[in-house]
Amino acid sequence: MSLTFDFSGRTVIVTGGARGIGRALSEFFAAAGATLAVADVNAENLAEVTTALPGAIPLQIDVSDAASVQAGIDDVMARTGRIDVVVNNAGILRDRVVWKLTDDDWQAVLGVHLTGTFNMTRAAVPAMREQGYGRIVNVTSYTGLHGNVGQANYAAAKAGIIGFTRTTAKELARFGITVNAISPNAETDMVASIPADKLAELTAQIPMARFSAPSEVAPAVGFLASEEAGYITGIVVPVDGGLSI
């Protein structure tokens, strides 16, 4: 059995696919032969990545909005006739200690991370059920299990994604659809926004003493999204340099 990733003939959607981990995932799936749809809310970033990846389908959608998501899914189905893989990666931060969190801070973060994961999954599942095949990979975080000062909204959303992953894995297994998650620890714009002293503290907690490059996350997602991983569902794979040990 070959474990060389080959997504030829597969339609893959990556949300938040224009920056950071999402950009690395878009590049990975494009290189692996997928028919790639890059979903992002930022039109400028989306245009740049789809220009860099010829053949990629641009989907300017807001994952927190169910109608926007459904329109994107309908577009992909009209163009390709199938949806094989959905990677729910889109995310934002609105960091504040809990007594300073506004309603908007709370709703915006849960809306993109948790509601966005729900919206994309719900919209893609009918096509996957019809095919009798699907792979859903959600992006969660170490913070979802352990918390972090100033990130009550983010931690709640990421913890919710873990529960959502395990529940939908049980619901969808009989249709040939797997649902898994990864918990990455990568250098992204979100990490770059952390104050230097706090970042040094966090780095010191990582056994490998560094954050990963976004490209180092992609193979783990690729495996969970592959045909070979068909008997794996409902798990969270840490891609974190040993942070979760």
Side-chain angles (χ1 to χ4, degrees):
M1 180 179 66
S2 171
L3 289 179
T4 301
F5 295 111
D6 182 1
F7 287 88
S8 301
R10 299 293 189 192
T11 297
V12 177
I13 303 174
V14 179
T15 72
R19 299 288 297 275
I21 291 173
R23 173 65 180 261
L25 294 174
S26 294
E27 292 172 351
F28 173 89
F29 283 110
T35 299
L36 173 68
V38 181
D40 207 280
V41 73
N42 186 298
E44 185 178 343
N45 292 341
L46 188 59
E48 193 278 325
V49 71
T50 52
T51 299
L53 300 174
I57 300 167
L59 296 177
Q60 188 181 3
I61 63 173
D62 175 0
V63 295
S64 69
D65 180 82
S68 178
V69 167
Q70 190 61 59
I73 293 292
D74 291 345
D75 185 14
V76 173
M77 286 298 293
R79 291 171 183 252
T80 73
R82 60 187 301 115
I83 297 172
D84 298 286
V85 178
V86 172
V87 183
N88 288 307
N89 165 76
I92 62 170
L93 292 178
R94 297 280 184 89
D95 290 357
R96 289 180 177 85
V97 287
V98 71
W99 60 90
K100 293 183 179 180
L101 276 176
T102 66
D103 290 350
D104 182 62
D105 294 332
W106 180 265
Q107 296 295 344
V109 170
L110 266 75
V112 173
H113 289 272
L114 184 55
T115 304
T117 296
F118 163 68
N119 284 338
M120 286 296 301
T121 301
R122 179 178 61 176
V125 158
M128 291 180 173
R129 286 184 61 191
E130 181 69 23
Q131 295 162 186
Y133 180 93
R135 301 283 186 266
I136 298 168
V137 184
N138 301 322
V139 178
T140 183
S141 169
Y142 178 85
T143 302
L145 289 176
H146 299 274
N148 192 34
V149 173
Q151 291 193 313
N153 48 3
Y154 179 77
K158 290 305 195 183
I161 287 172
I162 294 172
F164 181 80
T165 297
R166 290 174 173 158
T167 298
T168 51
K170 290 181 177 181
E171 292 177 345
L172 298 172
R174 66 186 183 274
F175 303 112
I177 303 168
T178 66
V179 189
N180 293 292
I182 62 157
S183 178
N185 197 33
E187 284 185 352
T188 63
D189 290 345
M190 290 184 182
V191 171
S193 69
I194 299 172
D197 57 339
K198 181 64 174 174
L199 184 60
E201 253 179 63
L202 293 172
T203 304
Q205 297 173 31
I206 305 168
M208 294 190 74
R210 67 178 179 86
F211 286 80
S212 78
S215 60
E216 292 179 282
V217 177
V221 175
F223 174 64
L224 293 174
S226 70
E227 291 184 36
E228 289 88 348
Y231 201 61
I232 300 172
T233 197
I235 67 165
V236 179
V237 176
V239 188
D240 62 8
L243 179 63
S244 56
I245 295 172

